[in-house]
Amino acid sequence: MKYTTLTLLGLILMMSCKVKEEKQAPSSRPKLVVGIVVDQMRYDYLTRFYNKYGDGGFKRMMNEGFNCKNNHYNYIPTYTGPGHASIYTGTTPKYHGIIGNNWYDKTIKQSVYCAGDTSVQSVGTLEKSGQMSPHRLKTTTFADENRLFTQMQGKTIGVSIKDRGAIMPAGHTANAAYWFQGKDEGKWISSTYYMNELPVWVNDFNAEHSVSKYLTEWNTFYDIETYAESGDDLNDFEGGFKGKETATFPYQLDVLKDSNGGYDILKSTAYGNSLIADFAIAALKGEQLGQDDITDVLTVSFSSTDYIGHNFGVNSKEIEDTYIRLDKDLERFFQALDAQVGKNNYTVFLTADHAAVNVPAYLQSVKIPAGYLDNAKTRTKFNAFMEQTFKASDLVENVSNNQIFLNREKIKAMGLELEDVQEAIVNELIAYDHVDKVYSATTMGTTEFSEGIEALLQRGYNQKRSGDVIVVSDPAYISYPKTGSTHGSGFSYDTHVPLLFFGHGIAHGETIKKTEITDIAPTISALLGINFPNGAIGQPLEFVLN
């Protein structure tokens, strides 16, 4: 058969286009994406406790997947609500609007909770603890985008002991989010935002998996003498439980239960994570996740690590034992995924919503600068300044989350300029003990910062919701009791968190290149071939994707 030059050229072009189309054809999608958040997990928990971990949990993710060793939060404040929102939206409080766990609402003149919603009702309890939804989250999550992409056929289920840890990740279009109602009930609940009654499998779990079985003795998994990676069990830096004289192992949870909030005591023990793992495994089966070629999303937040860190501190035997036991729970969870969904049919990432500072009293004992803020002294001095300078005691409406909210109506009525009042407060507070930086809302809105604490503040500053003045304390100076740890700052002890990927579509390797928490959602979106969340500012981590 003879071909003209034109015909041959046409055939070559057709073949070239076909090859190009084949190269650009989207790769197969995982049947299930599992996002795991370990509340208050510092990056160094991976390395400090490494020799205590088995091969099926954290090490499986590191050995089979990709480890981003220099992963950080890129905004302030590093709290639970903003952290969970940022992981799944790929953006910061500046855009998604979750500026704290609670914040002062300048419109209604009262404090609001990030997930609180009085327009919905509790499901599974008569308490108000079920009146929750994501309505204050302003942007979409990658789970929302997956739902849109799949014409609402791909499921999204959120699970956490904390309501905000279940709700923020799952997003606006979730099929369900479940959280734990402790006190005298000890069961999993939801809200009418998602459903009018609990599914059969949740009712069965609540009935058949009585949480009483977790109220057992909490002792160390291994001989406590081998826990060389943490401080002495008996020390001056831990809180402990009511009804027990010392914060030392073992803890008889069934005995301590009534003095510590009933079933709420489980939240502050390693067994709270076991409860979450068991419920997540039940959700896999109950919701038939990952059983077809339409990608589902399961978000799981292990909350007990946060409660334990707040109570006992980041250097405690309790924290070490909690992570050893969490490693076992992760192994069980991954085995369930293997059995239910199939190896290489699912993709998992694991990170944290923030990290935490070492107990300042402990840091002081080893001669590291640290301490506690005297808020009462500061308040007295500041009030006197306001009276003397402006001849008014009611120009401040609220002080919360290291922010000052001014009474703008009063300032206007007095003929004062808002910017002048803000700057006067900035110049006053910067001279106070252990105040490192102070910035006004005007500065946040008119000056672009590209690095340092200032850039982190700006990414966490929401013009509509944030305050008039923002205060940054010295490193390791906190407003907190002298036992236990906390978080919220832009210092590395709060921003440096793990980021592990493994499973379908994930390369094997590691990097010390800096990555940011807002890169996670774009990376998963790129893996799925879906639209990025609508407020995303992060970039896909190409080296993570296989």
Side-chain angles (χ1 to χ4, degrees), residues 260-282:
N260 293 274
Y263 289 112
D264 276 341
I265 194 175
L266 289 174
K267 298 177 181 179
S268 298
T269 76
Y271 301 131
N273 291 328
S274 300
L275 173 62
I276 294 168
D278 288 341
F279 190 77
I281 292 170

Side-chain angles (χ1 to χ4, degrees), residues 94-165:
K94 179 178 182 179
Y95 300 106
H96 63 57
I98 304 300
I99 64 169
N101 295 332
N102 301 274
W103 64 85
Y104 180 71
D105 188 312
K106 294 181 283 190
T107 303
I108 62 176
K109 308 295 186 185
Q110 65 184 42
S111 182
V112 297
Y113 176 55
C114 63
D117 188 351
T118 56
S119 73
V120 300
Q121 301 303 313
S122 301
V123 174
T125 181
L126 297 177
E127 298 292 324
K128 293 182 179 179
S129 49
Q131 290 187 285
M132 304 289 167
S133 84
H135 76 108
R136 288 192 170 92
L137 180 65
K138 297 167 74 72
T139 60
T140 61
T141 66
F142 76 76
D144 286 324
E145 297 298 337
N146 184 65
R147 290 273 285 160
L148 293 171
F149 182 88
T150 62
Q151 302 302 310
M152 300 296 172
Q153 295 180 79
K155 281 188 175 182
T156 299
I157 305 294
V159 173
S160 178
I161 275 183
K162 293 182 181 180
D163 47 58
R164 59 187 180 272

Side-chain angles (χ1 to χ4, degrees), residues 506-540:
I506 301 300
H508 176 224
E510 60 185 35
T511 184
I512 57 172
K513 178 182 178 181
K514 186 173 184 179
T515 58
E516 296 183 331
I517 210 70
T518 49
D519 296 331
I520 297 172
T523 301
I524 296 298
S525 298
L527 173 69
L528 298 181
I530 63 176
N531 195 45
F532 290 8
N534 60 17
I537 62 172
Q539 296 297 318

Side-chain angles (χ1 to χ4, degrees), residues 18 61 108 110 117 130 185 190 203 310 357 381 386:
K18 186 175 181 182
M61 295 197 75
I108 62 176
Q110 65 184 42
D117 188 351
E185 294 185 71
S190 190
N203 284 324
H310 279 295
V357 66
K381 185 177 180 180
M386 295 297 288

Side-chain angles (χ1 to χ4, degrees), residues 56-117:
F58 290 116
K59 283 185 180 178
R60 179 177 175 186
M61 295 197 75
M62 287 186 273
N63 292 336
E64 296 182 18
F66 203 97
N67 184 1
C68 297
K69 296 181 174 182
N70 190 21
N71 184 61
H72 287 264
Y73 273 85
N74 57 349
Y75 65 84
I76 298 171
T78 44
Y79 296 141
T80 298
H84 283 79
S86 298
I87 292 165
Y88 286 84
T89 62
T91 193
T92 68
K94 179 178 182 179
Y95 300 106
H96 63 57
I98 304 300
I99 64 169
N101 295 332
N102 301 274
W103 64 85
Y104 180 71
D105 188 312
K106 294 181 283 190
T107 303
I108 62 176
K109 308 295 186 185
Q110 65 184 42
S111 182
V112 297
Y113 176 55
C114 63
D117 188 351

